[in-house]
Amino acid sequence: MGFIYEERASDSPYLDTVTCGHSEGEGFTIRPAECQWHMVLARLRGETRMIVTGPCTTSGVVRFIDGVELLWIRLKLGTYMPHLPTRSLLDVETTLPEAACASFRLAGDAWQFPDFANVETFIAQLARREV
């Protein structure tokens, strides 16, 4: 029981690592304190959400439930979004608003949910649009 996952480094100038995985059973895990922030795509029972989680000043315990699928996009230190100042993300998880089917809203636009294979393309599009 726990999380089954695959992680890879990225050659993007904006990304550190990309991890995808799923839970088998319910449980708890320790989340470390860290200075980087993440975009997390979470799927459970047909619902998909994009969550932005900021740098965490303390460690903590995270509860997970059976059947959740996650895509963790860990951004490199120094990467930021002008409309989401890092200070406003500190110790907070923010769910981005939903848009049409298989998309979410970010900086006033609808964006398709990325997957493990196309995260670099997704991040490059955000950079080109200065998001």
Side-chain angles (χ1 to χ4, degrees):
M1 300 285 191
F3 259 93
I4 310 302
Y5 66 93
E6 175 183 352
E7 182 175 88
R8 64 177 169 77
S10 175
D11 59 359
S12 167
Y14 306 105
L15 297 176
D16 188 8
T17 57
V18 181
T19 307
C20 69
H22 66 277
S23 62
E24 291 185 349
E26 297 186 13
F28 297 90
T29 189
I30 302 293
R31 176 199 40 78
E34 63 180 309
C35 59
Q36 290 165 271
W37 63 283
H38 303 81
M39 296 180 82
V40 181
L41 182 68
R43 287 191 172 101
L44 180 64
R45 297 184 199 108
E47 279 192 42
T48 305
R49 293 188 176 141
M50 180 62 83
I51 302 162
V52 175
T53 180
C56 297
T57 57
T58 62
S59 63
V61 176
V62 176
R63 179 179 178 266
F64 59 86
I65 58 177
D66 187 41
V68 69
E69 296 176 36
L70 297 173
L71 175 66
W72 293 273
I73 304 168
R74 184 176 186 196
L75 293 121
K76 283 191 176 174
L77 189 60
T79 302
Y80 68 97
M81 292 185 175
H83 67 286
L84 289 175
T86 305
R87 171 171 243 124
S88 70
L89 300 175
L90 190 63
D91 295 319
V92 176
E93 288 185 0
T94 303
T95 301
L96 299 177
E98 293 180 45
C101 182
S103 62
F104 64 98
R105 290 214 157 285
L106 178 62
D109 291 318
W111 299 88
Q112 289 212 316
F113 292 123
D115 60 34
F116 190 64
N118 72 4
V119 168
E120 283 81 4
T121 301
F122 166 70
I123 295 296
Q125 289 173 344
L126 291 178
R128 273 194 301 279
R129 300 269 303 274
E130 298 182 350
V131 174

